[in-house]
Amino acid sequence: MSTSPSDRPAVDPSAARELFVARLRAELHMGEERTQEVSDARRAYREAACLLGRFDPQWLRLPSEVAATGGAVLELVDDCTTMGMQDQAGWSLKSDVRDRTLRGLAGPEAARRVLECHLDQLPAEPGPERFCLAYLSGRPPATDRLTTDELADALQAVLWLSRVPGTTGLPDTAELQLTLERARLLDPLERLVRWPFQGRTRELAELRDYVLLPGGAPAAGAQPDGRPQRPTPVPPLVVHGPGGMGKTTLLAKFVLDSIHDPAGCFPFAYIDFERPTLSIQEPVTLIAEAARQLGIQFPAHRAELDALAHECQQAARSQREGQERVSQLHELATTRAVLGRRSSQQFQSLAAGRETDLIRRLADVLRRAVADKKDGEHPEDPPFALVVDSFEEAQYRGSPVVGRMVAIYLSFQSIYPRMRLIVSGRAPVEHPAKTVASLDIELGELDPEAAVGLLTSCGVTDPEVARALADRVGGHPLSLKLAARAATLAGREAERTCELIRSLPERRHQVFRRVDQLLVQGILYDRILSHIGNEEVRRLAHPGLVLRVLTPEIIKEVLAEPCGLRVATPAAARALFEEFSRLDLVEPARPDSVRYRSDVRAIMLRLPGGDRTAVMRAVERRAVEHYAARDGLEARAEEIYHRLRLDENPRSVEERWLPGVERFLAGAQQDMTPRAAGLLTARLGGGTPDQVAAGADQEDWERIAAREVEDLLAQGYAQAAFERLGRRQPWTPCSPLHALLAESLHRLGRQEEARRATADAIDTAERAGCGERRLELLLLSARLSEEAGDLANAGRALRVAEDVAVALGQDLEAMGALLARARLTAGADGADLEADQQLAERLRLLPDTVLADQPVLVRAVASQIYDRAPGALDHALEVVGLPADDETLDTLGAAMRRATSRQPALLGRVMEILDEAAGPSRQPAGGAPTGIAGILRLARDRGTLDTLARRLLAVPDKSGEIVAGVAAAMGVGTGAPTAARAASGPEHDSRTHDSRTQEEGSGPAGPEER
């Protein structure tokens, strides 16, 4: 019979669909029946597996069986998930199956029997199975002696056994959960002091005095009569010292000692900015983490603190949006001088205000939590130690983070005076926000006794050898650990140990101590490398230090030949890579790649290469060739890295820069000469050591200084910014410092000087052909003229700027100049419509891909022209969408509340749009618009906010308030005039400002209602 398509009978589509639905329904119904009908064998195997975290179905047996039959493979195939790698996969019961099975067990005796028949298959180390057996056998473990992992296993065991009918004698689940959380809180600190702690007695005492005494340490700020109390506020304490000196370990030891001392225990928060969930550029994440940790220490206030931590995370999200807006406005010359600097100052002010509000609330919760625990013997408040680690990145002159951290600790102390801030980082830097000088503890070398103790704890068992090594190496903890490693590799042969000691230089005067330490560390690493067993790997090890990542391909194409090795095939490269991967000097980077440990490279790259210098430079040249031939941002970043390491001209290297390489080059400055590090710092931002600043090219130094000045101006410190500008002059013609000098003069009230400086800089930039800098200066000149009342001159400057941008072929720059001109004439009597019309035309004609590169500018333009260019808002919503920060939602929500309050007929339509945007997960809120702020946030989280806004544009609102609200939300943070209009409404009716009731939503009030 033919089965070709032409021979098949025609099938009615509707009949086929009905047949499919019927069969699907039948299959689903049969599936339900099957889940209810469990065979005895299947139930027995489920019971055998229900207290096993993981098992091999081939070896799972029933209590009644003498040996495993493998029957579990077929019986449990639908009840389990697989765990682990494919070659070592195990099975585990699905959670719902496990839960039903546990509840169906006959009792604790049946649970014990199924465990005992699998004793030979249980892992040797503790696990939930062994804890289950201990509880069922009447031998419960002492929870105060369990490690963090063991507590997690014990909690899992208790959760399982609590479902078994008739089981008694189990610890309270909530108490065990809290014990586990406390252990996890301390776990990072415990790991830091897993080696015996040596020395630092004086430093520990200073930390205790600072925290425990009511006024801090009496040595710093004591009264003339010797009283320990110091005036409020108590300054922060900065622990600083060279890398590897043990700052983090000292702080961990101090916190742990305090916690374990009943007489000196106090609440604390340990904030390590190297953790991926924390951002040093977002101090609000510090508040969130402090709230989380305090919630563990004060369980009665856990819900309130967790809610506060969640609010901090939401604030962090909003701040990221605001910071991105600031960054975009600084990218274009025609938005930098006006919109960019205004938005910077507004952002820093709002961020600091939000953070101080949140930290005050956190301090208030702490104050109440402490009061709940007070007794008659200890009526005073205990200290609270906020310990901040890895703060180096934010410690530079003018850092906004430092300014906001100062505001945070002052606000906290104002509510909870015994708050103490301890920071680990660089030596204290000056900052205009500081009202009192920081205290500091500088970590030096360990004393001889502690140095010997550290060597002994690291495996140097011979006391004489330990003393001899300590005498040569000194008290630097990292050097001592390297010496211990080298001595251990030398073995017990006296001659080899003596040779190691003789190879180390004798210690010299203090002024040479740092040089000696570098030399000692280099010698010790050479000793360690010399003990690599495989000769080929040993030849690769030292030159390979210049590479940031090693793969089989890199070994073959880059590293082998300069090291005198012939690696002909990928298989040979793979074999070398496998050997290399086993060294304890490297760590995994990603699949099929390793990297040297950061402490190894940090030391070795600072040392002269000796006879290996030529080899190492040859490796770097081949690395440049290798990465230059490859696509992608990471390859380009590696190429740039090695070009800079080869000390190529920063200007030629900069030509290879691509947007996006920054994240691959973060922290690479430490591997560079000051000149090369200057380019990276100019590009990446952050602090600049004086040595780097002094060695940077003039152009890079100017960009570094410009960033510091921008930061100072954003925080409102015009005088400090002006003083920072008075260095390394004359500046290059295209320097960003010319505009910043005029800006600083203007903010200091020296307007005429500012206008002259701007005019001179415009002429200089024009003669030098600095088109972008000329644009920025023209926009600044227009703003200064406008503020002086000279609108004619301002208009001329903006028209020239537009012509310059068009001549440069910069469409977005021209749009920025045109936007400034439109805003200049917006409030003038008889203002012409030319600028708005040209803006609308540019917005219509420019490709969406071009517009998408500058969302903030597009939003500002649409917000400016929305009432003269129908479709501009909808186009902007389609291409770039609304901003996602809280201020945007507050602005939009306020406009919606006003419109529906004045026109109740709109309420149904608006609520329909809100309901659809929020989706089915939103709980019914009642008939009135009671949760606009919350619904808008939910729409933002669901990704439906832009669709919601576009639908609002179609609402038949005769007053135009809703459209104006969308426009105002679109222009948030850009100084858009629609924000002011939307805030008061078209009728400027101030009575609406106070009309919001508690039922109108739990979100923050809109700007008009604050």
Side-chain angles (χ1 to χ4, degrees):
M1 179 182 293
S2 172
T3 58
S4 68
S6 60
D7 295 333
R8 293 173 186 164
V11 178
D12 178 31
S14 61
R17 184 163 53 250
E18 290 176 5
L19 179 62
F20 172 76
V21 170
R23 287 181 176 176
L24 179 61
R25 186 178 292 115
E27 282 293 316
L28 292 174
H29 183 67
M30 289 173 62
E32 290 174 1
E33 292 177 349
R34 283 197 295 267
T35 59
Q36 295 170 1
E37 298 174 3
V38 178
S39 67
D40 291 342
R42 186 177 182 183
R43 181 179 294 106
Y45 277 114
R46 284 182 175 183
E47 292 180 353
C50 68
L51 290 173
L52 300 177
R54 172 176 173 164
F55 62 91
D56 185 337
Q58 295 281 1
W59 295 99
L60 187 72
R61 68 182 180 90
L62 305 178
S64 59
E65 294 177 336
V66 177
T69 62
V73 175
L74 292 177
E75 294 293 343
L76 298 183
V77 66
D78 293 329
D79 295 336
C80 294
T81 57
T82 58
M83 304 173 62
M85 303 298 290
Q86 187 172 0
D87 57 342
Q88 296 180 336
W91 286 20
S92 179
L93 282 183
K94 295 176 181 177
S95 58
D96 59 328
V97 175
R98 187 190 301 274
D99 188 70
R100 289 198 302 270
T101 306
L102 288 169
R103 296 182 189 279
L105 283 175
E109 184 60 27
R112 186 177 62 81
R113 282 200 304 271
V114 299
L115 273 174
E116 287 179 339
C117 73
H118 293 101
L119 282 176
D120 57 334
Q121 297 182 43
L122 298 183
E125 64 274 6
E129 301 89 350
R130 294 195 181 275
F131 281 104
C132 283
L133 197 56
Y135 287 123
L136 292 170
S137 302
R139 301 188 303 273
T143 55
D144 58 344
R145 298 179 180 177
L146 299 180
T147 66
T148 304
D149 290 340
E150 290 169 345
L151 282 168
D153 289 336
L155 177 61
Q156 182 63 79
V158 170
L159 290 172
W160 286 346
L161 293 178
S162 64
R163 291 166 170 77
V164 178
T167 304
T168 59
L170 298 177
D172 181 74
T173 304
E175 283 295 324
L176 193 56
Q177 177 72 44
L178 183 58
T179 302
L180 174 60
E181 290 178 346
R182 286 172 175 161
R184 285 176 172 163
L185 178 61
L186 299 179
D187 207 38
L189 304 174
E190 300 279 8
R191 286 198 300 270
L192 289 167
V193 295
R194 62 185 182 274
W195 298 102
F197 189 83
Q198 304 292 335
R200 305 298 189 200
T201 305
R202 177 182 60 82
E203 291 88 348
L204 286 170
E206 289 185 39
L207 287 169
R208 277 193 296 272
D209 288 345
Y210 170 72
V211 171
L212 296 178
L213 295 182
Q223 301 297 318
D225 59 1
R227 290 180 298 159
Q229 188 170 358
R230 290 196 309 251
T232 302
V234 177
L237 176 66
V238 180
V239 179
H240 61 96
M245 199 58 80
K247 299 185 290 293
T248 298
T249 307
L250 173 69
L251 295 181
K253 175 68 173 173
F254 165 67
V255 172
L256 291 173
D257 283 354
S258 302
I259 290 170
H260 297 319
D261 177 11
C265 184
F266 50 79
F268 75 96
Y270 174 75
I271 312 295
D272 183 2
F273 276 118
E274 288 192 349
R275 287 181 53 188
T277 56
L278 299 172
S279 171
I280 201 166
Q281 302 303 328
E282 299 172 349
V284 72
T285 62
L286 173 151
I287 305 173
E289 179 62 15
R292 185 191 72 82
Q293 294 186 24
L294 285 172
I296 296 172
Q297 297 170 65
F298 296 96
H301 295 264
R302 179 72 176 269
E304 186 176 7
L305 288 163
D306 282 351
L308 185 60
H310 178 72
E311 187 176 345
C312 289
Q313 296 295 351
Q314 293 298 314
R317 172 179 178 167
S318 185
Q319 286 181 4
R320 290 182 201 114
E321 180 78 23
Q323 185 60 65
E324 177 61 24
R325 180 187 300 127
V326 171
S327 299
Q328 284 188 33
L329 289 173
H330 273 78
E331 287 176 7
L332 294 178
T334 52
T335 56
R336 185 182 307 130
V338 182
L339 301 182
R341 293 196 180 107
R342 284 177 180 168
S343 69
S344 292
Q345 192 161 10
Q346 180 187 36
F347 172 77
Q348 293 298 333
S349 176
L350 290 175
R354 185 74 184 274
E355 288 157 3
T356 52
D357 171 65
L358 289 166
I359 201 68
R360 284 173 179 271
R361 289 162 56 191
L362 176 62
D364 181 65
V365 178
L366 175 62
R367 181 178 54 78
R368 289 186 278 112
V370 164
D372 291 346
K373 287 192 169 187
K374 283 183 182 178
D375 53 37
E377 295 183 14
H378 303 92
E380 70 281 355
D381 290 339
F384 166 68
L386 179 60
V387 182
V388 179
D389 201 3
S390 307
F391 196 63
E392 292 88 345
E393 183 183 335
Q395 284 181 280
Y396 62 91
R397 290 179 297 268
S399 166
V401 175
V402 171
R404 284 153 65 183
M405 283 293 294
V406 169
I408 284 173
Y409 95 81
L410 288 176
S411 298
F412 204 124
Q413 279 195 356
S414 70
I415 305 297
Y416 196 86
R418 295 209 64 192
M419 178 267 198
R420 300 292 180 264
L421 175 62
I422 302 172
V423 176
S424 169
R426 297 191 183 104
V429 295
E430 294 302 317
H431 192 283
K434 289 186 176 180
T435 57
V436 292
S438 301
L439 308 175
D440 72 297
I441 295 176
E442 182 177 6
L443 287 194
E445 295 186 354
L446 295 173
D447 59 64
E449 181 180 352
V452 171
L454 181 57
L455 286 166
T456 302
S457 69
C458 291
V460 181
T461 56
D462 188 329
E464 293 298 323
V465 172
R467 280 193 289 271
L469 282 173
D471 183 60
R472 290 294 180 100
V473 171
H476 193 294
L478 179 57
S479 299
L480 290 165
K481 291 176 183 177
L482 291 175
R485 174 72 171 142
T488 303
L489 290 171
R492 296 183 178 275
E493 297 181 23
E495 181 57 35
R496 295 178 68 182
T497 304
C498 289
E499 181 189 351
L500 168 64
I501 295 171
R502 287 195 300 269
S503 69
L504 300 172
E506 294 186 7
R507 304 183 78 209
R508 295 181 289 173
H509 189 269
Q510 180 69 34
V511 82
F512 300 105
R513 189 66 50 81
R514 179 169 174 79
V515 176
D516 284 346
Q517 283 299 332
L518 290 175
L519 181 59
V520 164
Q521 291 168 359
I523 292 170
L524 291 170
Y525 263 126
D526 269 343
R527 286 278 175 172
I528 293 170
L529 294 175
S530 71
H531 284 87
I532 296 174
N534 185 307
E535 181 182 351
E536 290 186 332
V537 174
R538 187 164 64 246
R539 291 168 68 179
L540 298 174
H542 197 289
L545 281 160
V546 299
L547 299 169
R548 297 202 298 172
V549 66
L550 288 164
T551 66
E553 182 185 21
I554 293 293
I555 289 175
K556 181 177 182 292
E557 302 294 333
V558 176
L559 185 57
E561 185 174 314
C563 296
L565 296 178
R566 185 174 181 274
V567 180
T569 65
R574 166 70 60 180
L576 276 174
F577 174 78
E578 296 295 341
E579 289 288 329
F580 219 106
S581 302
R582 297 189 184 99
L583 300 180
D584 60 2
L585 301 174
V586 301
E587 60 189 9
R590 55 179 180 268
D592 256 4
S593 68
V594 296
R595 60 185 171 223
Y596 279 91
R597 293 200 329 257
S598 58
D599 58 335
V600 176
R601 292 192 81 244
I603 290 171
M604 297 302 286
L605 292 181
R606 291 200 302 262
L607 297 172
D611 57 357
R612 300 185 185 90
T613 300
V615 176
M616 295 168 77
R617 291 184 67 81
V619 169
E620 300 221 55
R621 284 192 291 269
R622 290 179 69 91
V624 168
E625 295 172 3
H626 175 83
Y627 287 114
R630 280 154 180 79
D631 296 326
L633 292 176
E634 188 171 2
R636 182 62 62 88
E638 294 303 311
E639 176 198 342
I640 290 170
Y641 173 86
H642 289 290
R643 287 187 184 278
L644 289 173
R645 287 269 306 154
L646 290 167
D647 208 25
E648 292 188 13
N649 189 312
R651 305 284 70 80
S652 63
V653 175
E654 197 166 23
E655 294 176 1
R656 301 292 297 165
W657 202 275
L658 287 177
V661 300
E662 293 83 0
R663 69 179 187 272
F664 298 106
L665 292 168
Q669 295 96 317
Q670 64 181 0
D671 302 342
M672 307 289 179
T673 63
R675 185 187 187 208
L679 170 62
L680 287 182
T681 305
R683 281 284 190 169
L684 304 180
T688 312
D690 291 339
Q691 181 185 10
V692 170
D697 281 1
Q698 178 70 18
E699 186 173 332
D700 292 326
W701 178 89
E702 289 173 359
R703 284 189 289 182
I704 293 168
R707 182 174 279 108
E708 291 185 12
V709 172
E710 291 275 19
D711 286 342
L712 288 167
L713 290 173
Q715 297 168 83
Y717 300 118
Q719 183 61 43
F722 179 73
E723 292 169 0
R724 182 74 180 91
L725 286 163
R727 306 177 188 177
R728 263 179 91 159
Q729 296 186 11
W731 302 324
T732 59
C734 300
S735 173
L737 299 180
H738 294 294
L740 290 170
L741 173 61
E743 183 73 48
S744 301
L745 288 168
H746 176 68
R747 295 196 189 189
L748 290 171
R750 298 158 66 175
Q751 281 81 5
E752 285 304 317
E753 292 178 74
R755 295 183 71 179
R756 284 197 302 271
T758 304
D760 292 343
I762 290 172
D763 292 341
T764 301
E766 183 177 7
R767 289 194 301 270
C770 307
E772 180 184 335
R773 196 61 59 204
R774 187 181 172 205
L775 281 174
E776 179 184 352
L777 289 161
L778 284 166
L779 267 291
L780 176 59
S781 175
R783 195 193 91 207
L784 297 180
S785 296
E786 178 186 8
E787 292 180 7
D790 188 353
L791 297 185
N793 192 56
R796 283 192 296 272
L798 292 174
R799 289 181 180 277
V800 172
E802 186 181 349
D803 292 341
V804 170
V806 170
L808 292 172
Q810 299 292 330
D811 292 322
L812 292 174
E813 295 282 13
M815 182 181 282
L818 196 52
L819 174 64
R821 184 155 65 89
R823 289 188 174 181
L824 175 70
T825 60
D829 294 335
D832 62 59
L833 305 180
E834 178 192 2
D836 282 355
Q837 292 170 349
Q838 290 180 4
L839 272 177
E841 188 72 4
R842 284 188 177 276
L843 189 63
R844 185 177 65 84
L845 293 179
L846 281 177
D848 290 352
T849 53
V850 174
L851 297 175
D853 285 339
Q854 286 293 329
V856 177
L857 176 61
V858 173
R859 292 170 186 147
V861 169
S863 181
Q864 172 69 28
I865 64 172
Y866 80 97
D867 52 350
R868 303 182 192 275
L873 281 178
D874 189 71
H875 185 199
L877 285 168
E878 180 184 12
V879 176
V880 298
L882 281 176
D885 57 344
D886 289 343
E887 188 179 355
T888 298
L889 304 185
D890 294 339
T891 301
L892 181 59
M896 295 167 70
R897 284 194 297 271
R898 281 193 306 273
T900 54
S901 175
R902 294 175 179 176
Q903 303 174 77
L906 299 178
L907 184 57
R909 179 63 175 148
V910 169
M911 288 307 299
E912 176 188 341
I913 293 172
L914 285 170
D915 283 337
E916 291 185 11
S921 62
R922 187 178 76 84
Q923 296 296 321
T930 56
I932 288 179
I935 299 172
L936 289 176
R937 280 161 175 74
L938 183 58
R940 175 185 64 185
D941 296 342
R942 289 173 50 87
T944 58
L945 182 62
D946 295 334
T947 302
L948 178 153
R950 296 182 74 179
R951 295 192 63 193
L952 285 175
L953 297 178
V955 171
D957 171 21
K958 296 179 181 179
S959 71
E961 269 194 281
I962 290 181
V963 174
V966 174
M970 182 73 75
V972 160
T974 65
T978 49
R981 294 203 300 269
S984 56
E987 301 172 14
H988 302 280
D989 185 356
S990 62
R991 291 173 298 176
T992 63
H993 291 196
D994 299 321
S995 63
R996 189 185 185 204
T997 65
Q998 186 176 1
E999 288 73 34
E1000 290 178 7
S1002 57
E1008 80 291 354
E1009 297 164 311
R1010 287 180 180 150

